[in-house]
Each structure stands twice: as structure tokens, then as C-alpha cells.
Amino acid sequence: MPLLAQRLSRIKPSPTIAVSQKARDLKAAGRDVISLGAGEPDFDTPDSVKEAAMRAMRSGDTKYTNVDGTPALKKAICAKFERENGLRYAPDQVTVGTGGKQVLYNALMATLNPGDEVIVPAPYWVSYPDMVALAEGTTVAVACPPEKGFKLQPADLEKAITPRTKWLILNSPNNPTGAAYSRDEMKALTDVLVRHPHVWVLTDDMYEHLVYDGFEFVTPAQVEPRLHDRTLTVNGVSKAYSMTGWRIGYGAGPKELIKAMAVIQSQSTSNPSSISQAAAVEALNGPQDFLEGWVSSFRERRDLVVSMLNQAKGISCHKPEGAFYVYPSCAGTIGLTTPGGKVIETDEDFVTYLLESEGVAAVQGSAFGLAPFFRISYATSMTDLEDACQRIQRACGALR
Ligand code: PLP
């Protein structure tokens, strides 16, 4: 009897984690590598948040908590949704998990039956289709090319909906493209959803605070209150407060769904770290002034990267509204030959060439469901970004 379960054959390890690992291995072997693969801000967690964690440890907040979050954190989350998004939730409509990832996973595990369809605009965050597959659902990917701003079009959404559609997953600002929906664009999508009452909305708002040039962030239940009772609004402290290692994410939605998600969590991980929960209370309730500096620093980096990549031969880079990624097309390099004599046939060939020739680590677009592109995370220093973009320009210039 084989050791491994059949379910494992439905999924693959995260390709973004694989690229980061490859870059670390090359660095350890002495290569000069700039990694643009990271999915996390390069800033430190604010001191006030760390202090709150230390206070929690000292005062004995070191034991099991309620499975899906402490009352204090749920209260802080309700206040955040009301203050920032105009959404009213009671504490029993809120769940806390070990990262936004666990909240998404719990939701899909708690709701999908074999064959249920989940509409996922592509390019998408790498984990959605694999989580859907683990929960025995079927991903219906809808292509969103750069000509459409990498955004789902209402007519394409309408076409993708079938009687088996359970969820639409929206992610704005988006990983890997940085695209974010304006109020009008979001309203056009929610108008379609209002006409299909059997479709639930899973909105992943992890990058809410990272938007530039005065862009107004909106979330579906805020734009269309009629969707409030069939929307799970997911968010977390990982990206906005540079707390990726603390592992706290949260979601809000109808009580029945939230309760079911807690059952899944109670039989897998139980509560997220008590100390991290105390820290997250401070992140949500405490001063938010550091965010402005982070956002302006990210915007400066985005502008540098977009401008330098558009000067690279064969590369065309769309300027996104938010997050800390860009998703340039490498279509102009396909069919060209490297100085080593290898023909670039796919975006995977292209990123391999970048890593081997110039030591720049990026992630191939095929991992995110739309090729030929590559994802660059600009959550690193201006010096490294400038150096990396020069290397990319040099690598592209050397193709024949
Ligand atoms: N959703 C998106 C779009 C992400 O990019 C990420 C992290 O990369 C997550 C969810 C998961 O966040 P967390 O680290 O809180 O689990």
C-alpha cells in the first residue's frame, strides 16, 4: 500500500516558497543573489505591537484561548470593520485563525462538496486553487489580462457562473498583480452577484492598507449591503503591520459559516497563539501612523521598478494600484536565445535565465495562472531594486 494519500496528488508545494528557497540556497553557496520573490514587507513589526506581546507573556496570557479568537481580539476586529469599512459585525460573526491562510482554508473546507465550483480570477494567489482542490472543489479560473487592468470583467463573471458555483474569490489589491478594484468596478461585479443569490463571496482583503496615489480601497459587502449575508470578508495583520511571522488572520461573515469554520479549526490547530492575538489587538487598536511612511516608501519603489522594467527589452510592465508586487509581461522575450544558446520558450525559462545569468530571483507567471509573465515583489530596499532592475535590463539586452 503506498504511503501517501491520493489527495496529495491534487496539490503542489507553493511555488513562491520554492523560489525563495532556491534563492537562499544559491546565496548560501556564495552566489550574489537578489531575491524579489518575498511575499512579505521588509519593515520590522512596530515596537508598540512587540511591547503588547511582551506584556501578554508577563501577565500569563500563555494558555489556550477560545478556538477562534479571544473576546478582546474579536472586539478589536469588529471595531476595525466598522471604523475602516463601514461594516457591522457582532463578535460571533468573527473568526480568528493562524494567518489569513487558515481562515481561507477553513472556509473552503467547511463549505465545499465534491464538484462545487469556485470562480477564481487569474492571475491568482497560488494557494487558492490548491486549497479548493484539497476541499474537493473545482476551480473555475477566469483570465484577466493586463488590457483589462488584470481585473475581472462583469460579463466574464456572468459567463463563469453555473448552478454549481459556490464561491467567487476576490482579492483586491491582488497578489500577484497589485491590481485593485475601484468603487465603480466593484459595484459592477456586485451587481452581477446580486442577480445570482446562490453565489457566495470570499473577499481576501489582506493588502487593504497598501494602496497608492490616493486610491480608495473598497470591499464587496461595503459596496453592496445586499451581499453582507453571503460574504466572508477576510483580512489580517500580516501585510499591513508587517507581522507575517506572528500568524494572525481573521474573517467576518454569517454566524452559521463562522461556527462551521471554528469546528474545522477545533479539530486541526485550535486557537492561534495567545501571544500573537494580544499583539494583534494592539496592532488594530493602537496608533496607525507608521503606515503612511510605509505606503509612501512602497509607492516610491513601485514607481522605480515599473519605470526601469519598461526600459528592459521585451518587457512590458503595468502600473498597479496597490500591494507590493508588479506583474510584467515577458512575451517579448519568448523565442529569443540566451548567450548560452538556450531558447526562451516559457516564463519559467525566462525566470530561470534571470536567476542563472544575473542572480535575480522572481516567480514565473504560470504559477499564478496567467503566462507569460513574472512576479516581482518590491518589498526590498531601493538600492537592491535598482541593482536588480539593471540586471534584468542587462539580461534582456543580451537575448538574441
Ligand atoms: N492572501 C493573499 C492574497 C496573500 O498574498 C497572502 C500571503 O502571501 C495570504 C492571503 C496569507 O496571509 P497570512 O500570512 O496571514 O496567512
Side-chain angles (χ1 to χ4, degrees):
M1 201 194 294
L3 169 65
L4 301 179
Q6 284 167 9
R7 87 170 59 82
L8 209 67
S9 66
R10 293 201 291 263
I11 61 167
K12 56 188 181 317
S14 162
T16 47
I17 292 174
V19 168
S20 301
Q21 187 59 47
K22 197 167 167 189
R24 273 196 295 272
D25 291 348
L26 281 171
K27 256 187 198 162
R31 279 286 305 275
D32 167 24
V33 174
I34 305 179
S35 183
L36 304 178
E40 59 186 354
D42 54 324
F43 304 112
D44 197 7
T45 304
D47 280 338
S48 55
V49 173
K50 291 185 189 172
E51 291 297 334
M54 287 187 263
R55 278 198 305 276
M57 280 188 273
R58 284 196 201 100
S59 65
D61 273 356
T62 52
K63 301 288 181 10
Y64 292 132
T65 72
N66 291 353
V67 165
D68 68 348
T70 60
L73 182 49
K74 288 191 177 193
K75 192 172 157 207
I77 292 165
C78 292
K80 176 261 180 271
F81 277 125
E82 181 144 18
R83 181 177 71 238
E84 297 184 344
N85 312 109
L87 294 175
R88 295 191 80 140
Y89 291 107
D92 61 3
Q93 295 176 301
V94 168
T95 186
V96 183
T98 300
K101 204 170 205 170
Q102 188 179 23
V103 176
L104 294 161
Y105 184 79
N106 288 344
L108 296 169
M109 288 301 276
T111 56
L112 291 182
N113 287 312
D116 283 353
E117 293 172 0
V118 180
I119 298 175
V120 182
Y124 42 69
W125 181 46
V126 290
S127 292
Y128 301 142
D130 289 73
M131 286 185 186
V132 169
L134 269 180
E136 298 183 72
T138 303
T139 292
V140 176
V142 180
C144 305
E147 302 78 62
K148 307 282 185 195
F150 292 119
K151 294 176 205 179
L152 180 62
Q153 301 302 302
D156 293 337
L157 170 59
E158 185 90 56
K159 259 187 268 164
I161 294 174
T162 76
R164 305 278 340 231
T165 308
K166 186 69 148 278
W167 290 101
L168 161 67
I169 300 186
L170 280 176
N171 170 216
S172 167
N174 172 273
N175 175 3
T177 64
Y181 294 85
S182 69
R183 185 176 282 272
D184 287 350
E185 288 165 340
M186 188 64 86
K187 184 71 172 61
L189 293 177
T190 58
D191 283 350
V192 174
L193 294 163
V194 165
R195 292 199 294 275
H196 298 276
H198 68 293
V199 179
W200 284 65
V201 187
L202 211 178
T203 178
D204 178 344
D205 300 350
M206 293 296 295
Y207 295 91
E208 163 177 13
H209 291 101
L210 306 181
V211 289
Y212 314 116
D213 307 324
F215 185 87
E216 183 209 10
F217 168 85
V218 291
T219 190
Q222 167 192 24
V223 168
E224 179 47 85
R226 283 177 290 175
L227 292 181
H228 191 275
D229 293 343
R230 51 181 167 114
T231 297
L232 180 69
T233 305
V234 176
N235 210 316
V237 295
S238 297
K239 315 286 173 169
Y241 302 95
S242 212
M243 292 176 68
T244 46
W246 299 73
R247 311 307 304 131
I248 296 292
Y250 53 86
K255 214 154 109 181
E256 183 190 6
L257 172 63
I258 294 298
K259 237 169 109 180
M261 289 166 63
V263 173
I264 302 278
Q265 189 157 304
S266 74
Q267 297 299 10
S268 49
T269 61
S270 285
N271 65 275
S273 153
S274 56
I275 300 154
S276 296
Q277 290 190 74
V281 171
E282 173 62 25
L284 294 175
N285 288 348
Q288 310 284 312
D289 47 345
F290 59 89
L291 258 173
E292 199 180 316
W294 290 6
V295 165
S296 94
S297 166
F298 275 137
R299 185 192 41 76
E300 204 184 329
R301 295 169 185 187
R302 177 202 62 174
D303 291 347
L304 173 86
V305 168
V306 169
S307 145
M308 287 188 76
L309 288 176
N310 276 321
Q311 290 164 45
K313 194 179 122 190
I315 304 296
S316 150
C317 185
H318 184 264
K319 187 172 175 174
E321 293 88 354
F324 41 71
Y325 309 103
V326 290
Y327 199 65
S329 162
C330 56
T333 69
I334 304 295
L336 299 182
T337 305
T338 71
K342 195 173 175 319
V343 177
I344 306 278
E345 283 169 359
T346 62
D347 51 20
E348 193 157 3
D349 291 345
F350 179 75
V351 298
T352 303
Y353 167 61
L354 283 186
L355 187 56
E356 286 173 357
S357 66
E358 291 285 352
V360 174
V363 188
Q364 68 278 11
S366 45
F368 305 99
L370 194 74
F373 293 84
F374 58 109
R375 188 193 76 173
I376 279 186
S377 158
Y378 54 83
T380 188
S381 71
M382 286 290 269
T383 318
D384 273 1
L385 288 173
E386 200 164 351
D387 186 1
C389 289
Q390 277 164 0
R391 294 183 193 200
I392 295 172
Q393 289 175 353
R394 200 157 54 219
C396 291
L399 293 171
R400 290 289 169 263

Tab-separated table of all heavy atoms in Angstrom, residues 260-310:
chain	number	residue	atom	x	y	z
A	260	ALA	N	-19.155	26.992	11.640
A	260	ALA	CA	-18.655	25.803	10.943
A	260	ALA	C	-17.135	25.877	10.781
A	260	ALA	O	-16.426	24.873	10.910
A	260	ALA	CB	-19.331	25.688	9.575
A	261	MET	N	-16.626	27.067	10.506
A	261	MET	CA	-15.181	27.232	10.355
A	261	MET	C	-14.458	26.945	11.678
A	261	MET	O	-13.377	26.370	11.695
A	261	MET	CB	-14.861	28.654	9.871
A	261	MET	CG	-15.282	28.876	8.423
A	261	MET	SD	-15.308	30.617	7.950
A	261	MET	CE	-13.595	31.071	8.134
A	262	ALA	N	-15.102	27.320	12.786
A	262	ALA	CA	-14.498	27.056	14.101
A	262	ALA	C	-14.434	25.554	14.381
A	262	ALA	O	-13.511	25.076	15.040
A	262	ALA	CB	-15.277	27.780	15.193
A	263	VAL	N	-15.434	24.811	13.863
A	263	VAL	CA	-15.406	23.354	14.057
A	263	VAL	C	-14.180	22.764	13.350
A	263	VAL	O	-13.448	21.943	13.911
A	263	VAL	CB	-16.716	22.700	13.539
A	263	VAL	CG1	-16.606	21.183	13.587
A	263	VAL	CG2	-17.914	23.182	14.348
A	264	ILE	N	-13.933	23.201	12.107
A	264	ILE	CA	-12.747	22.716	11.361
A	264	ILE	C	-11.479	23.052	12.158
A	264	ILE	O	-10.608	22.203	12.356
A	264	ILE	CB	-12.656	23.383	9.965
A	264	ILE	CG1	-13.917	23.098	9.143
A	264	ILE	CG2	-11.380	22.967	9.235
A	264	ILE	CD1	-13.975	21.793	8.444
A	265	GLN	N	-11.418	24.295	12.642
A	265	GLN	CA	-10.210	24.726	13.353
A	265	GLN	C	-10.038	23.969	14.679
A	265	GLN	O	-8.922	23.646	15.073
A	265	GLN	CB	-10.273	26.244	13.600
A	265	GLN	CG	-8.984	26.831	14.137
A	265	GLN	CD	-8.881	28.321	13.850
A	265	GLN	OE1	-8.963	28.733	12.703
A	265	GLN	NE2	-8.705	29.123	14.867
A	266	SER	N	-11.172	23.646	15.332
A	266	SER	CA	-11.085	22.973	16.634
A	266	SER	C	-10.508	21.564	16.482
A	266	SER	O	-9.951	21.020	17.425
A	266	SER	CB	-12.458	22.919	17.294
A	266	SER	OG	-13.268	21.943	16.650
A	267	GLN	N	-10.653	20.972	15.285
A	267	GLN	CA	-10.121	19.622	15.085
A	267	GLN	C	-8.810	19.628	14.288
A	267	GLN	O	-8.368	18.591	13.802
A	267	GLN	CB	-11.158	18.722	14.389
A	267	GLN	CG	-12.423	18.498	15.187
A	267	GLN	CD	-12.193	17.803	16.536
A	267	GLN	OE1	-11.067	17.638	16.983
A	267	GLN	NE2	-13.276	17.405	17.193
A	268	SER	N	-8.221	20.813	14.129
A	268	SER	CA	-6.904	20.833	13.475
A	268	SER	C	-5.892	21.553	14.358
A	268	SER	O	-5.124	20.913	15.064
A	268	SER	CB	-7.003	21.452	12.082
A	268	SER	OG	-7.696	22.680	12.110
A	269	THR	N	-5.941	22.884	14.402
A	269	THR	CA	-4.900	23.609	15.142
A	269	THR	C	-5.357	24.187	16.469
A	269	THR	O	-4.531	24.634	17.252
A	269	THR	CB	-4.406	24.800	14.306
A	269	THR	OG1	-5.509	25.668	14.079
A	269	THR	CG2	-3.836	24.343	12.984
A	270	SER	N	-6.660	24.232	16.719
A	270	SER	CA	-7.211	25.011	17.849
A	270	SER	C	-6.831	26.480	17.722
A	270	SER	O	-6.602	26.955	16.615
A	270	SER	CB	-6.777	24.432	19.190
A	270	SER	OG	-7.506	23.263	19.448
A	271	ASN	N	-6.677	27.154	18.858
A	271	ASN	CA	-6.535	28.628	18.774
A	271	ASN	C	-5.171	29.040	18.202
A	271	ASN	O	-4.168	28.348	18.391
A	271	ASN	CB	-6.704	29.249	20.156
A	271	ASN	CG	-5.608	28.836	21.127
A	271	ASN	OD1	-5.712	27.785	21.760
A	271	ASN	ND2	-4.565	29.633	21.234
A	272	PRO	N	-5.158	30.211	17.523
A	272	PRO	CA	-3.865	30.784	17.159
A	272	PRO	C	-3.140	31.220	18.428
A	272	PRO	O	-3.776	31.371	19.472
A	272	PRO	CB	-4.222	31.997	16.304
A	272	PRO	CG	-5.693	32.104	16.274
A	272	PRO	CD	-6.291	31.064	17.149
A	273	SER	N	-1.841	31.437	18.352
A	273	SER	CA	-1.019	31.784	19.510
A	273	SER	C	-1.659	32.892	20.345
A	273	SER	O	-2.033	33.947	19.829
A	273	SER	CB	0.358	32.234	19.039
A	273	SER	OG	0.925	33.127	19.986
A	274	SER	N	-1.761	32.648	21.643
A	274	SER	CA	-2.363	33.624	22.563
A	274	SER	C	-1.558	34.924	22.554
A	274	SER	O	-2.127	36.015	22.629
A	274	SER	CB	-2.408	33.048	23.981
A	274	SER	OG	-1.098	32.667	24.384
A	275	ILE	N	-0.258	34.816	22.430
A	275	ILE	CA	0.607	35.999	22.474
A	275	ILE	C	0.423	36.834	21.199
A	275	ILE	O	0.317	38.057	21.234
A	275	ILE	CB	2.074	35.557	22.660
A	275	ILE	CG1	2.198	34.789	23.973
A	275	ILE	CG2	3.039	36.728	22.608
A	275	ILE	CD1	3.323	33.795	24.015
A	276	SER	N	0.356	36.143	20.065
A	276	SER	CA	0.135	36.844	18.798
A	276	SER	C	-1.228	37.523	18.784
A	276	SER	O	-1.386	38.608	18.220
A	276	SER	CB	0.216	35.871	17.626
A	276	SER	OG	1.509	35.332	17.534
A	277	GLN	N	-2.222	36.878	19.399
A	277	GLN	CA	-3.552	37.516	19.445
A	277	GLN	C	-3.502	38.815	20.236
A	277	GLN	O	-4.076	39.826	19.835
A	277	GLN	CB	-4.575	36.562	20.051
A	277	GLN	CG	-4.915	35.391	19.149
A	277	GLN	CD	-6.100	34.611	19.695
A	277	GLN	OE1	-7.236	35.056	19.626
A	277	GLN	NE2	-5.824	33.433	20.251
A	278	ALA	N	-2.784	38.810	21.368
A	278	ALA	CA	-2.659	40.031	22.170
A	278	ALA	C	-1.942	41.109	21.354
A	278	ALA	O	-2.305	42.291	21.400
A	278	ALA	CB	-1.905	39.731	23.459
A	279	ALA	N	-0.937	40.700	20.596
A	279	ALA	CA	-0.198	41.661	19.764
A	279	ALA	C	-1.111	42.231	18.680
A	279	ALA	O	-1.055	43.431	18.363
A	279	ALA	CB	1.013	40.978	19.139
A	280	ALA	N	-1.976	41.380	18.126
A	280	ALA	CA	-2.876	41.832	17.055
A	280	ALA	C	-3.900	42.842	17.582
A	280	ALA	O	-4.314	43.753	16.854
A	280	ALA	CB	-3.582	40.632	16.414
A	281	VAL	N	-4.313	42.695	18.841
A	281	VAL	CA	-5.227	43.676	19.441
A	281	VAL	C	-4.565	45.048	19.404
A	281	VAL	O	-5.172	46.050	19.004
A	281	VAL	CB	-5.584	43.294	20.905
A	281	VAL	CG1	-6.344	44.431	21.593
A	281	VAL	CG2	-6.398	42.013	20.942
A	282	GLU	N	-3.293	45.097	19.783
A	282	GLU	CA	-2.573	46.373	19.784
A	282	GLU	C	-2.415	46.900	18.339
A	282	GLU	O	-2.587	48.088	18.083
A	282	GLU	CB	-1.198	46.194	20.449
A	282	GLU	CG	-0.281	47.402	20.362
A	282	GLU	CD	-0.832	48.653	21.051
A	282	GLU	OE1	-1.653	48.509	21.972
A	282	GLU	OE2	-0.444	49.773	20.644
A	283	ALA	N	-2.119	45.989	17.399
A	283	ALA	CA	-1.959	46.423	16.005
A	283	ALA	C	-3.238	47.112	15.527
A	283	ALA	O	-3.182	48.184	14.924
A	283	ALA	CB	-1.620	45.226	15.117
A	284	LEU	N	-4.399	46.517	15.825
A	284	LEU	CA	-5.665	47.062	15.325
A	284	LEU	C	-6.129	48.291	16.102
A	284	LEU	O	-6.671	49.224	15.517
A	284	LEU	CB	-6.765	45.989	15.362
A	284	LEU	CG	-6.561	44.793	14.429
A	284	LEU	CD1	-7.652	43.753	14.645
A	284	LEU	CD2	-6.548	45.227	12.973
A	285	ASN	N	-5.917	48.282	17.425
A	285	ASN	CA	-6.426	49.393	18.248
A	285	ASN	C	-5.423	50.526	18.413
A	285	ASN	O	-5.812	51.642	18.732
A	285	ASN	CB	-6.787	48.899	19.661
A	285	ASN	CG	-8.059	48.050	19.679
A	285	ASN	OD1	-8.786	48.015	18.689
A	285	ASN	ND2	-8.308	47.378	20.777
A	286	GLY	N	-4.139	50.219	18.252
A	286	GLY	CA	-3.081	51.184	18.570
A	286	GLY	C	-2.867	52.203	17.464
A	286	GLY	O	-3.631	52.283	16.499
A	287	PRO	N	-1.800	53.007	17.605
A	287	PRO	CA	-1.502	54.038	16.615
A	287	PRO	C	-1.227	53.426	15.236
A	287	PRO	O	-0.633	52.347	15.130
A	287	PRO	CB	-0.238	54.716	17.173
A	287	PRO	CG	0.262	53.848	18.275
A	287	PRO	CD	-0.849	52.969	18.714
A	288	GLN	N	-1.704	54.131	14.217
A	288	GLN	CA	-1.566	53.617	12.843
A	288	GLN	C	-0.620	54.514	12.037
A	288	GLN	O	-0.509	54.372	10.821
A	288	GLN	CB	-2.938	53.587	12.137
A	288	GLN	CG	-4.059	52.924	12.915
A	288	GLN	CD	-3.986	51.416	12.912
A	288	GLN	OE1	-3.810	50.812	11.859
A	288	GLN	NE2	-4.070	50.797	14.069
A	289	ASP	N	0.061	55.450	12.723
A	289	ASP	CA	0.798	56.485	11.995
A	289	ASP	C	1.970	55.972	11.158
A	289	ASP	O	2.330	56.578	10.161
A	289	ASP	CB	1.258	57.589	12.955
A	289	ASP	CG	1.910	57.028	14.203
A	289	ASP	OD1	1.742	55.818	14.452
A	289	ASP	OD2	2.599	57.785	14.913
A	290	PHE	N	2.567	54.843	11.524
A	290	PHE	CA	3.712	54.307	10.773
A	290	PHE	C	3.315	53.904	9.346
A	290	PHE	O	4.131	53.890	8.437
A	290	PHE	CB	4.302	53.096	11.493
A	290	PHE	CG	3.312	51.992	11.669
A	290	PHE	CD1	3.163	51.028	10.702
A	290	PHE	CD2	2.476	51.955	12.776
A	290	PHE	CE1	2.220	50.029	10.832
A	290	PHE	CE2	1.523	50.968	12.919
A	290	PHE	CZ	1.398	50.004	11.945
A	291	LEU	N	2.011	53.609	9.173
A	291	LEU	CA	1.537	53.100	7.873
A	291	LEU	C	1.817	54.085	6.728
A	291	LEU	O	2.192	53.697	5.627
A	291	LEU	CB	0.040	52.843	7.947
A	291	LEU	CG	-0.383	51.384	8.106
A	291	LEU	CD1	-1.875	51.295	8.334
A	291	LEU	CD2	0.031	50.567	6.889
A	292	GLU	N	1.644	55.363	7.032
A	292	GLU	CA	1.797	56.378	5.997
A	292	GLU	C	3.209	56.342	5.398
A	292	GLU	O	3.387	56.409	4.183
A	292	GLU	CB	1.502	57.744	6.615
A	292	GLU	CG	1.173	58.810	5.599
A	292	GLU	CD	0.883	60.144	6.286
A	292	GLU	OE1	0.156	60.149	7.310
A	292	GLU	OE2	1.408	61.161	5.810
A	293	GLY	N	4.204	56.212	6.284
A	293	GLY	CA	5.602	56.143	5.831
A	293	GLY	C	5.849	54.892	5.002
A	293	GLY	O	6.517	54.930	3.965
A	294	TRP	N	5.296	53.766	5.440
A	294	TRP	CA	5.468	52.513	4.700
A	294	TRP	C	4.860	52.642	3.305
A	294	TRP	O	5.454	52.242	2.304
A	294	TRP	CB	4.786	51.349	5.427
A	294	TRP	CG	5.449	50.934	6.708
A	294	TRP	CD1	6.505	51.563	7.327
A	294	TRP	CD2	5.106	49.819	7.533
A	294	TRP	NE1	6.829	50.899	8.481
A	294	TRP	CE2	5.993	49.824	8.641
A	294	TRP	CE3	4.145	48.811	7.452
A	294	TRP	CZ2	5.934	48.856	9.649
A	294	TRP	CZ3	4.084	47.861	8.464
A	294	TRP	CH2	4.968	47.882	9.552
A	295	VAL	N	3.638	53.194	3.274
A	295	VAL	CA	2.931	53.300	1.994
A	295	VAL	C	3.704	54.206	1.027
A	295	VAL	O	3.860	53.876	-0.147
A	295	VAL	CB	1.479	53.800	2.226
A	295	VAL	CG1	0.834	54.259	0.929
A	295	VAL	CG2	0.634	52.694	2.859
A	296	SER	N	4.246	55.309	1.553
A	296	SER	CA	4.935	56.203	0.625
A	296	SER	C	6.244	55.563	0.156
A	296	SER	O	6.662	55.730	-0.991
A	296	SER	CB	5.093	57.600	1.217
A	296	SER	OG	6.318	57.745	1.844
A	297	SER	N	6.858	54.783	1.009
A	297	SER	CA	8.072	54.076	0.611
A	297	SER	C	7.753	53.003	-0.452
A	297	SER	O	8.468	52.859	-1.454
A	297	SER	CB	8.682	53.496	1.877
A	297	SER	OG	9.640	52.572	1.601
A	298	PHE	N	6.659	52.286	-0.277
A	298	PHE	CA	6.262	51.280	-1.282
A	298	PHE	C	5.934	51.954	-2.623
A	298	PHE	O	6.280	51.442	-3.687
A	298	PHE	CB	5.045	50.480	-0.811
A	298	PHE	CG	5.392	49.305	0.083
A	298	PHE	CD1	4.644	49.023	1.221
A	298	PHE	CD2	6.445	48.453	-0.222
A	298	PHE	CE1	4.947	47.936	2.038
A	298	PHE	CE2	6.757	47.354	0.585
A	298	PHE	CZ	6.006	47.107	1.724
A	299	ARG	N	5.265	53.111	-2.538
A	299	ARG	CA	4.902	53.778	-3.794
A	299	ARG	C	6.143	54.200	-4.583
A	299	ARG	O	6.228	54.012	-5.781
A	299	ARG	CB	4.019	55.002	-3.520
A	299	ARG	CG	3.523	55.661	-4.817
A	299	ARG	CD	2.895	57.037	-4.623
A	299	ARG	NE	3.587	57.883	-3.667
A	299	ARG	CZ	4.731	58.522	-3.885
A	299	ARG	NH1	5.346	58.430	-5.038
A	299	ARG	NH2	5.286	59.262	-2.941
A	300	GLU	N	7.128	54.708	-3.848
A	300	GLU	CA	8.375	55.129	-4.485
A	300	GLU	C	9.062	53.934	-5.171
A	300	GLU	O	9.538	54.022	-6.294
A	300	GLU	CB	9.270	55.681	-3.370
A	300	GLU	CG	10.333	56.655	-3.794
A	300	GLU	CD	11.196	57.039	-2.569
A	300	GLU	OE1	10.670	57.052	-1.438
A	300	GLU	OE2	12.376	57.298	-2.762
A	301	ARG	N	9.048	52.809	-4.483
A	301	ARG	CA	9.673	51.604	-5.034
A	301	ARG	C	8.908	51.111	-6.262
A	301	ARG	O	9.493	50.710	-7.259
A	301	ARG	CB	9.691	50.504	-3.971
A	301	ARG	CG	10.547	50.839	-2.776
A	301	ARG	CD	10.263	49.825	-1.712
A	301	ARG	NE	10.950	50.102	-0.455
A	301	ARG	CZ	10.939	49.257	0.571
A	301	ARG	NH1	10.303	48.111	0.481
A	301	ARG	NH2	11.567	49.559	1.676
A	302	ARG	N	7.571	51.139	-6.154
A	302	ARG	CA	6.750	50.709	-7.301
A	302	ARG	C	7.084	51.547	-8.526
A	302	ARG	O	7.306	51.018	-9.622
A	302	ARG	CB	5.257	50.864	-6.971
A	302	ARG	CG	4.335	50.515	-8.135
A	302	ARG	CD	2.966	51.160	-8.001
A	302	ARG	NE	3.031	52.620	-7.995
A	302	ARG	CZ	1.988	53.429	-8.005
A	302	ARG	NH1	0.774	52.920	-8.010
A	302	ARG	NH2	2.140	54.751	-8.000
A	303	ASP	N	7.150	52.864	-8.342
A	303	ASP	CA	7.401	53.744	-9.481
A	303	ASP	C	8.771	53.475	-10.107
A	303	ASP	O	8.916	53.460	-11.325
A	303	ASP	CB	7.278	55.211	-9.047
A	303	ASP	CG	5.832	55.580	-8.709
A	303	ASP	OD1	4.931	54.775	-9.047
A	303	ASP	OD2	5.597	56.639	-8.111
A	304	LEU	N	9.772	53.233	-9.266
A	304	LEU	CA	11.118	52.931	-9.776
A	304	LEU	C	11.104	51.643	-10.612
A	304	LEU	O	11.593	51.596	-11.748
A	304	LEU	CB	12.098	52.760	-8.598
A	304	LEU	CG	13.488	52.272	-9.002
A	304	LEU	CD1	14.378	53.458	-9.390
A	304	LEU	CD2	14.153	51.459	-7.895
A	305	VAL	N	10.494	50.602	-10.027
A	305	VAL	CA	10.512	49.287	-10.671
A	305	VAL	C	9.731	49.319	-11.996
A	305	VAL	O	10.204	48.814	-13.018
A	305	VAL	CB	9.931	48.223	-9.704
A	305	VAL	CG1	9.658	46.918	-10.406
A	305	VAL	CG2	10.887	48.013	-8.543
A	306	VAL	N	8.553	49.944	-11.993
A	306	VAL	CA	7.746	49.994	-13.213
A	306	VAL	C	8.523	50.719	-14.314
A	306	VAL	O	8.619	50.248	-15.453
A	306	VAL	CB	6.381	50.682	-12.958
A	306	VAL	CG1	5.652	50.975	-14.262
A	306	VAL	CG2	5.511	49.814	-12.060
A	307	SER	N	9.134	51.843	-13.946
A	307	SER	CA	9.842	52.619	-14.951
A	307	SER	C	11.064	51.864	-15.480
A	307	SER	O	11.299	51.799	-16.687
A	307	SER	CB	10.201	53.981	-14.347
A	307	SER	OG	11.423	54.438	-14.818
A	308	MET	N	11.834	51.249	-14.595
A	308	MET	CA	13.048	50.541	-15.061
A	308	MET	C	12.712	49.282	-15.859
A	308	MET	O	13.394	48.943	-16.813
A	308	MET	CB	13.953	50.206	-13.884
A	308	MET	CG	14.661	51.446	-13.324
A	308	MET	SD	15.899	51.041	-12.084
A	308	MET	CE	17.260	50.422	-13.091
A	309	LEU	N	11.651	48.582	-15.456
A	309	LEU	CA	11.307	47.351	-16.189
A	309	LEU	C	10.795	47.685	-17.586
A	309	LEU	O	11.057	46.942	-18.541
A	309	LEU	CB	10.268	46.537	-15.422
A	309	LEU	CG	10.796	45.850	-14.166
A	309	LEU	CD1	9.675	45.156	-13.417
A	309	LEU	CD2	11.904	44.846	-14.500
A	310	ASN	N	10.087	48.817	-17.694
A	310	ASN	CA	9.592	49.187	-19.026
A	310	ASN	C	10.728	49.585	-19.970
A	310	ASN	O	10.518	49.692	-21.173
A	310	ASN	CB	8.533	50.280	-18.915
A	310	ASN	CG	7.162	49.678	-18.620
A	310	ASN	OD1	6.808	48.623	-19.154
A	310	ASN	ND2	6.399	50.319	-17.751
